[in-house]
Amino acid sequence: MIRALVLVAAACVALLVLLVVLPAARSDPYTRSTLQLSGSEERGEQLFLINCAGCHGIAAQGLVGPSLHGVDSRKNNRQLIQQVVSGRTPPMPRFQPEPQAMADLLAYLHTLT
Ligand code: HEC
């Protein structure tokens, strides 16, 4: 009986993730508006130097945080945005750039081969 309840509860959680959490992640309005904008690499680099270079190094070569060269082969745009705005991996803080600034940062991250 208890085992059946646990199974039902697990199934409910799985359903919740499938129906609520995943679609919300896909259609989050901040991510959507960021991805519709085209970013400027130069602005992105300036933003990077001000906000990120202290940890990732002025050439994104890695310091406290990892090197970001080739990061776009490890993470897609949505994951990169999540990395910047979520604050899920301390000590990296949670940033809240305007969508245009986030798009600029993405453009810069894509130049780091
Ligand atoms: C206080 C230090 C700090 C600052 C400031 C910081 N980061 Fe980070 N960052 C980290 C650390 C530490 C990690 C590794 C997190 C982990 O995965 O455990 C990381 C990871 C990342 C990753 C993922 C790297 C990978 O290989 O998957 C990206 C992308 C990133 N940071 C971008 C940025 C950007 C863009 C900014 C500026 C807006 C920034 N970071 C500012 C410390 C920092």
Side-chain angles (χ1 to χ4, degrees):
M1 179 62 188
I2 288 177
R3 196 186 253 187
L5 281 176
V6 169
L7 275 178
V8 169
C12 287
V13 170
L15 209 66
L16 192 78
V17 167
L18 274 176
L19 296 179
V20 181
V21 180
L22 289 181
R26 234 177 287 139
S27 63
D28 135 58
Y30 175 80
T31 301
R32 252 186 293 133
S33 47
T34 298
L35 292 177
Q36 278 164 7
L37 297 165
S38 80
S40 145
E41 293 167 12
E42 292 77 34
R43 284 260 314 139
E45 182 171 14
Q46 287 165 7
L47 289 166
F48 181 86
L49 289 174
I50 296 167
N51 297 288
C52 323
C55 285
H56 289 282
I58 54 170
Q61 79 279 14
L63 210 60
V64 180
S67 163
L68 298 179
H69 288 266
V71 72
D72 66 356
S73 63
R74 296 193 289 278
K75 286 184 156 64
N76 65 30
N77 277 335
R78 283 170 205 284
Q79 293 169 318
L80 289 172
I81 294 173
Q82 276 308 304
Q83 175 71 42
V84 172
V85 304
S86 73
R88 260 185 231 136
T89 57
M92 180 159 155
R94 176 170 191 255
F95 293 91
Q96 296 180 294
E98 292 296 314
Q100 182 60 60
M102 188 65 238
D104 296 342
L105 275 171
L106 279 181
Y108 172 69
L109 291 176
H110 285 299
T111 68
L112 301 170
T113 50

